[in-house]
Amino acid sequence: MTRRRWTESVWGAVLIGSGRAKAQRRPSEPTALLFGTVFQGSHLALPGARVVAWAESNPRKKYRAVTNYRGEYRIRVPAGDATWVLEASAPRFVGARRTVQVYGIEKSTANLILESRKAARGRGDRSGGD
């Protein structure tokens, strides 16, 4: 066995053993995609923010994502006509909520803007909760 083949077989075993090969398979059920960017009040991207989505018809089933270094998130949800509630939160920021209507298997964009708690207090807005 050549060194290259041995390396390929080892990496193949590592990927299969770690479950990574399974994660790359396409889902068997159709899905819709909710995506967008979470911004700070100054309109700069906010990496590391948590985004949670749930259908208004079933608020117990939640789908979660964390924004990447560009503040972007992607959440796959079951396909079908539904109204989805998106909520973004991050430490030191007041959370934001938005609803999005999804039809079938379409992609829907929802950008959210989080304001810092310090700026909200300066305006007299106490919705951030302390």
Side-chain angles (χ1 to χ4, degrees):
M1 182 180 268
T2 67
R3 183 179 184 137
R4 181 179 175 148
R5 284 191 180 236
W6 180 83
T7 305
E8 289 172 356
S9 65
V10 168
W11 276 111
V14 168
L15 290 176
I16 291 170
S18 69
R20 225 171 141 189
K22 282 184 184 178
Q24 293 176 353
R25 279 194 246 161
R26 293 197 157 256
S28 59
E29 297 177 15
T31 59
L33 182 65
L34 302 174
F35 68 98
T37 305
V38 176
F39 295 101
Q40 299 179 29
S42 59
H43 300 293
L44 295 173
L46 183 60
R50 292 187 178 119
V51 182
V52 180
W54 64 88
E56 281 188 339
S57 61
N58 185 10
R60 289 185 178 178
K61 179 71 175 169
K62 297 188 179 189
Y63 300 85
R64 304 172 195 286
V66 176
T67 58
N68 65 13
Y69 70 98
R70 293 185 302 213
E72 300 167 340
Y73 70 91
R74 285 187 308 255
I75 301 175
R76 289 206 176 275
V77 296
D81 297 352
T83 300
W84 289 88
V85 179
L86 289 163
E87 188 172 70
S89 63
R92 300 185 315 270
F93 288 89
V94 176
R97 186 180 282 190
R98 181 173 177 185
T99 59
V100 178
Q101 187 67 38
V102 176
Y103 301 99
I105 59 170
E106 73 180 7
K107 297 177 183 178
S108 296
T109 305
N111 296 327
L112 296 145
I113 300 173
L114 300 183
E115 189 174 354
S116 74
R117 288 190 178 166
K118 205 180 264 189
R121 273 191 230 130
R123 282 194 347 260
D125 182 10
R126 301 287 181 197
S127 63
D130 284 342

PDB file of all heavy atoms in Angstrom, residues 85-122:
ATOM      1  N   VAL A  85     -40.871  33.114  13.481  1.00  0.00           N
ATOM      2  CA  VAL A  85     -40.391  34.175  14.367  1.00  0.00           C
ATOM      3  C   VAL A  85     -38.896  33.970  14.537  1.00  0.00           C
ATOM      4  O   VAL A  85     -38.443  32.875  14.858  1.00  0.00           O
ATOM      5  CB  VAL A  85     -41.086  34.121  15.743  1.00  0.00           C
ATOM      6  CG1 VAL A  85     -40.549  35.210  16.653  1.00  0.00           C
ATOM      7  CG2 VAL A  85     -42.588  34.231  15.588  1.00  0.00           C
ATOM      8  N   LEU A  86     -38.122  35.009  14.286  1.00  0.00           N
ATOM      9  CA  LEU A  86     -36.668  34.973  14.469  1.00  0.00           C
ATOM     10  C   LEU A  86     -36.316  35.896  15.621  1.00  0.00           C
ATOM     11  O   LEU A  86     -36.805  37.025  15.695  1.00  0.00           O
ATOM     12  CB  LEU A  86     -35.954  35.450  13.208  1.00  0.00           C
ATOM     13  CG  LEU A  86     -36.023  34.507  12.028  1.00  0.00           C
ATOM     14  CD1 LEU A  86     -35.669  35.238  10.753  1.00  0.00           C
ATOM     15  CD2 LEU A  86     -35.085  33.353  12.248  1.00  0.00           C
ATOM     16  N   GLU A  87     -35.459  35.405  16.494  1.00  0.00           N
ATOM     17  CA  GLU A  87     -35.023  36.210  17.632  1.00  0.00           C
ATOM     18  C   GLU A  87     -33.509  36.121  17.734  1.00  0.00           C
ATOM     19  O   GLU A  87     -32.952  35.029  17.759  1.00  0.00           O
ATOM     20  CB  GLU A  87     -35.679  35.698  18.908  1.00  0.00           C
ATOM     21  CG  GLU A  87     -35.441  36.572  20.104  1.00  0.00           C
ATOM     22  CD  GLU A  87     -36.261  36.117  21.288  1.00  0.00           C
ATOM     23  OE1 GLU A  87     -35.950  35.041  21.826  1.00  0.00           O
ATOM     24  OE2 GLU A  87     -37.208  36.829  21.654  1.00  0.00           O
ATOM     25  N   ALA A  88     -32.850  37.276  17.764  1.00  0.00           N
ATOM     26  CA  ALA A  88     -31.393  37.328  17.887  1.00  0.00           C
ATOM     27  C   ALA A  88     -31.022  37.910  19.240  1.00  0.00           C
ATOM     28  O   ALA A  88     -31.703  38.804  19.752  1.00  0.00           O
ATOM     29  CB  ALA A  88     -30.792  38.176  16.772  1.00  0.00           C
ATOM     30  N   SER A  89     -29.942  37.381  19.809  1.00  0.00           N
ATOM     31  CA  SER A  89     -29.460  37.895  21.089  1.00  0.00           C
ATOM     32  C   SER A  89     -27.949  37.767  21.153  1.00  0.00           C
ATOM     33  O   SER A  89     -27.359  36.930  20.470  1.00  0.00           O
ATOM     34  CB  SER A  89     -30.100  37.138  22.250  1.00  0.00           C
ATOM     35  OG  SER A  89     -29.734  35.778  22.202  1.00  0.00           O
ATOM     36  N   ALA A  90     -27.340  38.592  21.964  1.00  0.00           N
ATOM     37  CA  ALA A  90     -25.896  38.563  22.194  1.00  0.00           C
ATOM     38  C   ALA A  90     -25.623  39.253  23.520  1.00  0.00           C
ATOM     39  O   ALA A  90     -26.393  40.133  23.935  1.00  0.00           O
ATOM     40  CB  ALA A  90     -25.145  39.276  21.063  1.00  0.00           C
ATOM     41  N   PRO A  91     -24.549  38.860  24.199  1.00  0.00           N
ATOM     42  CA  PRO A  91     -24.196  39.535  25.450  1.00  0.00           C
ATOM     43  C   PRO A  91     -23.978  41.032  25.216  1.00  0.00           C
ATOM     44  O   PRO A  91     -23.452  41.433  24.186  1.00  0.00           O
ATOM     45  CB  PRO A  91     -22.888  38.857  25.870  1.00  0.00           C
ATOM     46  CG  PRO A  91     -22.880  37.556  25.154  1.00  0.00           C
ATOM     47  CD  PRO A  91     -23.621  37.774  23.881  1.00  0.00           C
ATOM     48  N   ARG A  92     -24.416  41.841  26.159  1.00  0.00           N
ATOM     49  CA  ARG A  92     -24.281  43.304  26.128  1.00  0.00           C
ATOM     50  C   ARG A  92     -25.142  43.981  25.061  1.00  0.00           C
ATOM     51  O   ARG A  92     -24.925  45.143  24.733  1.00  0.00           O
ATOM     52  CB  ARG A  92     -22.820  43.717  25.979  1.00  0.00           C
ATOM     53  CG  ARG A  92     -21.940  43.232  27.108  1.00  0.00           C
ATOM     54  CD  ARG A  92     -20.520  43.747  27.020  1.00  0.00           C
ATOM     55  NE  ARG A  92     -19.900  43.677  25.722  1.00  0.00           N
ATOM     56  CZ  ARG A  92     -19.197  42.642  25.260  1.00  0.00           C
ATOM     57  NH1 ARG A  92     -19.046  41.583  26.001  1.00  0.00           N
ATOM     58  NH2 ARG A  92     -18.640  42.678  24.060  1.00  0.00           N
ATOM     59  N   PHE A  93     -26.112  43.247  24.483  1.00  0.00           N
ATOM     60  CA  PHE A  93     -27.002  43.822  23.480  1.00  0.00           C
ATOM     61  C   PHE A  93     -28.450  43.521  23.836  1.00  0.00           C
ATOM     62  O   PHE A  93     -28.755  42.499  24.438  1.00  0.00           O
ATOM     63  CB  PHE A  93     -26.701  43.254  22.090  1.00  0.00           C
ATOM     64  CG  PHE A  93     -25.427  43.755  21.501  1.00  0.00           C
ATOM     65  CD1 PHE A  93     -24.236  43.096  21.745  1.00  0.00           C
ATOM     66  CD2 PHE A  93     -25.405  44.905  20.721  1.00  0.00           C
ATOM     67  CE1 PHE A  93     -23.042  43.552  21.210  1.00  0.00           C
ATOM     68  CE2 PHE A  93     -24.216  45.373  20.193  1.00  0.00           C
ATOM     69  CZ  PHE A  93     -23.032  44.703  20.440  1.00  0.00           C
ATOM     70  N   VAL A  94     -29.337  44.419  23.444  1.00  0.00           N
ATOM     71  CA  VAL A  94     -30.771  44.206  23.608  1.00  0.00           C
ATOM     72  C   VAL A  94     -31.214  43.301  22.461  1.00  0.00           C
ATOM     73  O   VAL A  94     -30.878  43.544  21.307  1.00  0.00           O
ATOM     74  CB  VAL A  94     -31.532  45.557  23.550  1.00  0.00           C
ATOM     75  CG1 VAL A  94     -33.036  45.332  23.633  1.00  0.00           C
ATOM     76  CG2 VAL A  94     -31.059  46.474  24.658  1.00  0.00           C
ATOM     77  N   GLY A  95     -31.949  42.257  22.761  1.00  0.00           N
ATOM     78  CA  GLY A  95     -32.402  41.313  21.742  1.00  0.00           C
ATOM     79  C   GLY A  95     -33.357  41.958  20.741  1.00  0.00           C
ATOM     80  O   GLY A  95     -33.978  42.976  21.007  1.00  0.00           O
ATOM     81  N   ALA A  96     -33.463  41.326  19.564  1.00  0.00           N
ATOM     82  CA  ALA A  96     -34.362  41.803  18.517  1.00  0.00           C
ATOM     83  C   ALA A  96     -35.182  40.625  18.003  1.00  0.00           C
ATOM     84  O   ALA A  96     -34.706  39.491  17.975  1.00  0.00           O
ATOM     85  CB  ALA A  96     -33.567  42.433  17.379  1.00  0.00           C
ATOM     86  N   ARG A  97     -36.409  40.914  17.593  1.00  0.00           N
ATOM     87  CA  ARG A  97     -37.307  39.871  17.103  1.00  0.00           C
ATOM     88  C   ARG A  97     -37.937  40.338  15.800  1.00  0.00           C
ATOM     89  O   ARG A  97     -38.222  41.521  15.634  1.00  0.00           O
ATOM     90  CB  ARG A  97     -38.388  39.604  18.135  1.00  0.00           C
ATOM     91  CG  ARG A  97     -39.276  38.437  17.794  1.00  0.00           C
ATOM     92  CD  ARG A  97     -40.314  38.218  18.857  1.00  0.00           C
ATOM     93  NE  ARG A  97     -39.699  37.542  19.989  1.00  0.00           N
ATOM     94  CZ  ARG A  97     -40.375  37.041  20.999  1.00  0.00           C
ATOM     95  NH1 ARG A  97     -41.689  37.152  21.042  1.00  0.00           N
ATOM     96  NH2 ARG A  97     -39.754  36.426  21.981  1.00  0.00           N
ATOM     97  N   ARG A  98     -38.167  39.384  14.887  1.00  0.00           N
ATOM     98  CA  ARG A  98     -38.763  39.693  13.598  1.00  0.00           C
ATOM     99  C   ARG A  98     -39.534  38.484  13.107  1.00  0.00           C
ATOM    100  O   ARG A  98     -39.137  37.349  13.352  1.00  0.00           O
ATOM    101  CB  ARG A  98     -37.646  40.042  12.622  1.00  0.00           C
ATOM    102  CG  ARG A  98     -38.130  40.414  11.264  1.00  0.00           C
ATOM    103  CD  ARG A  98     -37.020  40.914  10.410  1.00  0.00           C
ATOM    104  NE  ARG A  98     -37.568  41.189   9.105  1.00  0.00           N
ATOM    105  CZ  ARG A  98     -36.873  41.548   8.079  1.00  0.00           C
ATOM    106  NH1 ARG A  98     -35.573  41.675   8.196  1.00  0.00           N
ATOM    107  NH2 ARG A  98     -37.433  41.781   6.929  1.00  0.00           N
ATOM    108  N   THR A  99     -40.627  38.709  12.388  1.00  0.00           N
ATOM    109  CA  THR A  99     -41.368  37.599  11.782  1.00  0.00           C
ATOM    110  C   THR A  99     -41.114  37.579  10.284  1.00  0.00           C
ATOM    111  O   THR A  99     -40.922  38.622   9.654  1.00  0.00           O
ATOM    112  CB  THR A  99     -42.885  37.713  12.040  1.00  0.00           C
ATOM    113  OG1 THR A  99     -43.352  38.941  11.510  1.00  0.00           O
ATOM    114  CG2 THR A  99     -43.195  37.631  13.522  1.00  0.00           C
ATOM    115  N   VAL A 100     -41.111  36.362   9.733  1.00  0.00           N
ATOM    116  CA  VAL A 100     -40.859  36.160   8.308  1.00  0.00           C
ATOM    117  C   VAL A 100     -41.891  35.165   7.783  1.00  0.00           C
ATOM    118  O   VAL A 100     -42.135  34.136   8.416  1.00  0.00           O
ATOM    119  CB  VAL A 100     -39.444  35.587   8.072  1.00  0.00           C
ATOM    120  CG1 VAL A 100     -39.200  35.324   6.605  1.00  0.00           C
ATOM    121  CG2 VAL A 100     -38.395  36.512   8.626  1.00  0.00           C
ATOM    122  N   GLN A 101     -42.476  35.473   6.651  1.00  0.00           N
ATOM    123  CA  GLN A 101     -43.424  34.558   6.017  1.00  0.00           C
ATOM    124  C   GLN A 101     -42.662  33.697   5.003  1.00  0.00           C
ATOM    125  O   GLN A 101     -41.938  34.224   4.170  1.00  0.00           O
ATOM    126  CB  GLN A 101     -44.528  35.351   5.306  1.00  0.00           C
ATOM    127  CG  GLN A 101     -45.647  34.512   4.771  1.00  0.00           C
ATOM    128  CD  GLN A 101     -46.457  33.854   5.873  1.00  0.00           C
ATOM    129  OE1 GLN A 101     -46.702  34.454   6.907  1.00  0.00           O
ATOM    130  NE2 GLN A 101     -46.857  32.630   5.648  1.00  0.00           N
ATOM    131  N   VAL A 102     -42.812  32.376   5.093  1.00  0.00           N
ATOM    132  CA  VAL A 102     -42.137  31.451   4.188  1.00  0.00           C
ATOM    133  C   VAL A 102     -43.199  30.672   3.418  1.00  0.00           C
ATOM    134  O   VAL A 102     -44.175  30.195   4.000  1.00  0.00           O
ATOM    135  CB  VAL A 102     -41.226  30.466   4.962  1.00  0.00           C
ATOM    136  CG1 VAL A 102     -40.615  29.440   4.026  1.00  0.00           C
ATOM    137  CG2 VAL A 102     -40.140  31.232   5.694  1.00  0.00           C
ATOM    138  N   TYR A 103     -42.997  30.556   2.113  1.00  0.00           N
ATOM    139  CA  TYR A 103     -43.898  29.801   1.251  1.00  0.00           C
ATOM    140  C   TYR A 103     -43.130  28.656   0.616  1.00  0.00           C
ATOM    141  O   TYR A 103     -42.161  28.890  -0.107  1.00  0.00           O
ATOM    142  CB  TYR A 103     -44.474  30.699   0.154  1.00  0.00           C
ATOM    143  CG  TYR A 103     -45.232  31.884   0.695  1.00  0.00           C
ATOM    144  CD1 TYR A 103     -44.641  33.129   0.776  1.00  0.00           C
ATOM    145  CD2 TYR A 103     -46.537  31.733   1.151  1.00  0.00           C
ATOM    146  CE1 TYR A 103     -45.334  34.218   1.280  1.00  0.00           C
ATOM    147  CE2 TYR A 103     -47.235  32.815   1.666  1.00  0.00           C
ATOM    148  CZ  TYR A 103     -46.626  34.048   1.721  1.00  0.00           C
ATOM    149  OH  TYR A 103     -47.307  35.119   2.235  1.00  0.00           O
ATOM    150  N   GLY A 104     -43.521  27.435   0.905  1.00  0.00           N
ATOM    151  CA  GLY A 104     -42.903  26.265   0.281  1.00  0.00           C
ATOM    152  C   GLY A 104     -41.458  26.079   0.695  1.00  0.00           C
ATOM    153  O   GLY A 104     -41.130  26.058   1.867  1.00  0.00           O
ATOM    154  N   ILE A 105     -40.585  25.950  -0.329  1.00  0.00           N
ATOM    155  CA  ILE A 105     -39.170  25.671  -0.068  1.00  0.00           C
ATOM    156  C   ILE A 105     -38.283  26.870  -0.381  1.00  0.00           C
ATOM    157  O   ILE A 105     -37.109  26.723  -0.664  1.00  0.00           O
ATOM    158  CB  ILE A 105     -38.687  24.441  -0.873  1.00  0.00           C
ATOM    159  CG1 ILE A 105     -38.871  24.678  -2.367  1.00  0.00           C
ATOM    160  CG2 ILE A 105     -39.375  23.191  -0.418  1.00  0.00           C
ATOM    161  CD1 ILE A 105     -38.218  23.626  -3.238  1.00  0.00           C
ATOM    162  N   GLU A 106     -38.833  28.048  -0.329  1.00  0.00           N
ATOM    163  CA  GLU A 106     -38.071  29.232  -0.707  1.00  0.00           C
ATOM    164  C   GLU A 106     -37.018  29.627   0.327  1.00  0.00           C
ATOM    165  O   GLU A 106     -37.028  29.162   1.461  1.00  0.00           O
ATOM    166  CB  GLU A 106     -39.001  30.408  -0.943  1.00  0.00           C
ATOM    167  CG  GLU A 106     -39.596  30.985   0.324  1.00  0.00           C
ATOM    168  CD  GLU A 106     -40.515  32.154   0.058  1.00  0.00           C
ATOM    169  OE1 GLU A 106     -40.807  32.450  -1.102  1.00  0.00           O
ATOM    170  OE2 GLU A 106     -40.946  32.778   1.033  1.00  0.00           O
ATOM    171  N   LYS A 107     -36.142  30.538  -0.084  1.00  0.00           N
ATOM    172  CA  LYS A 107     -35.167  31.152   0.815  1.00  0.00           C
ATOM    173  C   LYS A 107     -35.734  32.496   1.241  1.00  0.00           C
ATOM    174  O   LYS A 107     -36.260  33.234   0.433  1.00  0.00           O
ATOM    175  CB  LYS A 107     -33.847  31.393   0.079  1.00  0.00           C
ATOM    176  CG  LYS A 107     -33.172  30.148  -0.396  1.00  0.00           C
ATOM    177  CD  LYS A 107     -31.914  30.506  -1.164  1.00  0.00           C
ATOM    178  CE  LYS A 107     -31.259  29.287  -1.722  1.00  0.00           C
ATOM    179  NZ  LYS A 107     -30.078  29.620  -2.513  1.00  0.00           N
ATOM    180  N   SER A 108     -35.625  32.798   2.518  1.00  0.00           N
ATOM    181  CA  SER A 108     -36.122  34.070   3.033  1.00  0.00           C
ATOM    182  C   SER A 108     -35.018  34.779   3.791  1.00  0.00           C
ATOM    183  O   SER A 108     -34.339  34.177   4.619  1.00  0.00           O
ATOM    184  CB  SER A 108     -37.311  33.842   3.963  1.00  0.00           C
ATOM    185  OG  SER A 108     -38.377  33.280   3.254  1.00  0.00           O
ATOM    186  N   THR A 109     -34.864  36.065   3.514  1.00  0.00           N
ATOM    187  CA  THR A 109     -33.838  36.862   4.171  1.00  0.00           C
ATOM    188  C   THR A 109     -34.441  37.676   5.302  1.00  0.00           C
ATOM    189  O   THR A 109     -35.486  38.296   5.128  1.00  0.00           O
ATOM    190  CB  THR A 109     -33.188  37.838   3.162  1.00  0.00           C
ATOM    191  OG1 THR A 109     -32.694  37.100   2.060  1.00  0.00           O
ATOM    192  CG2 THR A 109     -32.058  38.612   3.806  1.00  0.00           C
ATOM    193  N   ALA A 110     -33.780  37.657   6.444  1.00  0.00           N
ATOM    194  CA  ALA A 110     -34.214  38.465   7.582  1.00  0.00           C
ATOM    195  C   ALA A 110     -32.979  38.988   8.300  1.00  0.00           C
ATOM    196  O   ALA A 110     -32.266  38.231   8.940  1.00  0.00           O
ATOM    197  CB  ALA A 110     -35.074  37.640   8.529  1.00  0.00           C
ATOM    198  N   ASN A 111     -32.716  40.267   8.146  1.00  0.00           N
ATOM    199  CA  ASN A 111     -31.607  40.906   8.849  1.00  0.00           C
ATOM    200  C   ASN A 111     -32.134  41.485  10.161  1.00  0.00           C
ATOM    201  O   ASN A 111     -33.252  41.991  10.220  1.00  0.00           O
ATOM    202  CB  ASN A 111     -30.995  42.013   8.001  1.00  0.00           C
ATOM    203  CG  ASN A 111     -30.377  41.464   6.733  1.00  0.00           C
ATOM    204  OD1 ASN A 111     -29.860  40.360   6.717  1.00  0.00           O
ATOM    205  ND2 ASN A 111     -30.443  42.229   5.664  1.00  0.00           N
ATOM    206  N   LEU A 112     -31.314  41.403  11.192  1.00  0.00           N
ATOM    207  CA  LEU A 112     -31.703  41.889  12.513  1.00  0.00           C
ATOM    208  C   LEU A 112     -30.645  42.864  13.021  1.00  0.00           C
ATOM    209  O   LEU A 112     -29.453  42.675  12.771  1.00  0.00           O
ATOM    210  CB  LEU A 112     -31.835  40.719  13.482  1.00  0.00           C
ATOM    211  CG  LEU A 112     -32.936  39.731  13.108  1.00  0.00           C
ATOM    212  CD1 LEU A 112     -32.530  38.330  13.470  1.00  0.00           C
ATOM    213  CD2 LEU A 112     -34.210  40.101  13.800  1.00  0.00           C
ATOM    214  N   ILE A 113     -31.086  43.895  13.731  1.00  0.00           N
ATOM    215  CA  ILE A 113     -30.165  44.883  14.294  1.00  0.00           C
ATOM    216  C   ILE A 113     -30.292  44.859  15.813  1.00  0.00           C
ATOM    217  O   ILE A 113     -31.390  45.041  16.344  1.00  0.00           O
ATOM    218  CB  ILE A 113     -30.460  46.298  13.763  1.00  0.00           C
ATOM    219  CG1 ILE A 113     -30.313  46.325  12.245  1.00  0.00           C
ATOM    220  CG2 ILE A 113     -29.546  47.313  14.422  1.00  0.00           C
ATOM    221  CD1 ILE A 113     -30.752  47.623  11.605  1.00  0.00           C
ATOM    222  N   LEU A 114     -29.173  44.599  16.484  1.00  0.00           N
ATOM    223  CA  LEU A 114     -29.137  44.609  17.943  1.00  0.00           C
ATOM    224  C   LEU A 114     -28.491  45.904  18.409  1.00  0.00           C
ATOM    225  O   LEU A 114     -27.461  46.314  17.891  1.00  0.00           O
ATOM    226  CB  LEU A 114     -28.340  43.419  18.474  1.00  0.00           C
ATOM    227  CG  LEU A 114     -28.842  42.033  18.097  1.00  0.00           C
ATOM    228  CD1 LEU A 114     -27.981  40.967  18.766  1.00  0.00           C
ATOM    229  CD2 LEU A 114     -30.281  41.848  18.493  1.00  0.00           C
ATOM    230  N   GLU A 115     -29.099  46.529  19.388  1.00  0.00           N
ATOM    231  CA  GLU A 115     -28.569  47.767  19.943  1.00  0.00           C
ATOM    232  C   GLU A 115     -27.881  47.456  21.270  1.00  0.00           C
ATOM    233  O   GLU A 115     -28.354  46.619  22.037  1.00  0.00           O
ATOM    234  CB  GLU A 115     -29.710  48.752  20.164  1.00  0.00           C
ATOM    235  CG  GLU A 115     -29.243  50.124  20.526  1.00  0.00           C
ATOM    236  CD  GLU A 115     -30.401  51.107  20.592  1.00  0.00           C
ATOM    237  OE1 GLU A 115     -31.530  50.750  20.247  1.00  0.00           O
ATOM    238  OE2 GLU A 115     -30.141  52.239  21.016  1.00  0.00           O
ATOM    239  N   SER A 116     -26.773  48.120  21.532  1.00  0.00           N
ATOM    240  CA  SER A 116     -26.064  47.871  22.789  1.00  0.00           C
ATOM    241  C   SER A 116     -26.931  48.327  23.962  1.00  0.00           C
ATOM    242  O   SER A 116     -27.702  49.275  23.847  1.00  0.00           O
ATOM    243  CB  SER A 116     -24.718  48.587  22.815  1.00  0.00           C
ATOM    244  OG  SER A 116     -24.904  49.962  23.009  1.00  0.00           O
ATOM    245  N   ARG A 117     -26.812  47.636  25.076  1.00  0.00           N
ATOM    246  CA  ARG A 117     -27.604  47.993  26.259  1.00  0.00           C
ATOM    247  C   ARG A 117     -27.237  49.379  26.772  1.00  0.00           C
ATOM    248  O   ARG A 117     -28.072  50.112  27.268  1.00  0.00           O
ATOM    249  CB  ARG A 117     -27.410  46.951  27.355  1.00  0.00           C
ATOM    250  CG  ARG A 117     -28.095  45.670  27.015  1.00  0.00           C
ATOM    251  CD  ARG A 117     -28.118  44.729  28.160  1.00  0.00           C
ATOM    252  NE  ARG A 117     -28.841  43.542  27.721  1.00  0.00           N
ATOM    253  CZ  ARG A 117     -28.834  42.412  28.356  1.00  0.00           C
ATOM    254  NH1 ARG A 117     -28.144  42.273  29.464  1.00  0.00           N
ATOM    255  NH2 ARG A 117     -29.523  41.390  27.903  1.00  0.00           N
ATOM    256  N   LYS A 118     -25.964  49.726  26.626  1.00  0.00           N
ATOM    257  CA  LYS A 118     -25.504  51.038  27.083  1.00  0.00           C
ATOM    258  C   LYS A 118     -26.217  52.144  26.305  1.00  0.00           C
ATOM    259  O   LYS A 118     -26.691  53.113  26.887  1.00  0.00           O
ATOM    260  CB  LYS A 118     -23.992  51.134  26.879  1.00  0.00           C
ATOM    261  CG  LYS A 118     -23.305  52.096  27.780  1.00  0.00           C
ATOM    262  CD  LYS A 118     -21.822  52.125  27.513  1.00  0.00           C
ATOM    263  CE  LYS A 118     -21.106  51.210  28.474  1.00  0.00           C
ATOM    264  NZ  LYS A 118     -19.651  51.367  28.406  1.00  0.00           N
ATOM    265  N   ALA A 119     -26.319  51.995  24.986  1.00  0.00           N
ATOM    266  CA  ALA A 119     -26.991  53.004  24.163  1.00  0.00           C
ATOM    267  C   ALA A 119     -28.480  53.044  24.464  1.00  0.00           C
ATOM    268  O   ALA A 119     -29.086  54.114  24.493  1.00  0.00           O
ATOM    269  CB  ALA A 119     -26.769  52.701  22.683  1.00  0.00           C
ATOM    270  N   ALA A 120     -29.081  51.886  24.723  1.00  0.00           N
ATOM    271  CA  ALA A 120     -30.507  51.839  25.039  1.00  0.00           C
ATOM    272  C   ALA A 120     -30.781  52.541  26.369  1.00  0.00           C
ATOM    273  O   ALA A 120     -31.781  53.243  26.510  1.00  0.00           O
ATOM    274  CB  ALA A 120     -30.993  50.392  25.091  1.00  0.00           C
ATOM    275  N   ARG A 121     -29.905  52.369  27.347  1.00  0.00           N
ATOM    276  CA  ARG A 121     -30.071  53.050  28.645  1.00  0.00           C
ATOM    277  C   ARG A 121     -29.932  54.553  28.489  1.00  0.00           C
ATOM    278  O   ARG A 121     -30.612  55.321  29.150  1.00  0.00           O
ATOM    279  CB  ARG A 121     -29.051  52.541  29.650  1.00  0.00           C
ATOM    280  CG  ARG A 121     -29.545  51.326  30.353  1.00  0.00           C
ATOM    281  CD  ARG A 121     -28.654  50.997  31.520  1.00  0.00           C
ATOM    282  NE  ARG A 121     -28.340  49.590  31.364  1.00  0.00           N
ATOM    283  CZ  ARG A 121     -27.144  49.063  31.400  1.00  0.00           C
ATOM    284  NH1 ARG A 121     -26.108  49.808  31.621  1.00  0.00           N
ATOM    285  NH2 ARG A 121     -26.969  47.782  31.244  1.00  0.00           N
ATOM    286  N   GLY A 122     -29.027  54.964  27.606  1.00  0.00           N
ATOM    287  CA  GLY A 122     -28.823  56.390  27.383  1.00  0.00           C
ATOM    288  C   GLY A 122     -30.061  57.068  26.823  1.00  0.00           C
ATOM    289  O   GLY A 122     -30.311  58.236  27.074  1.00  0.00           O
TER     290      GLY A 122
END
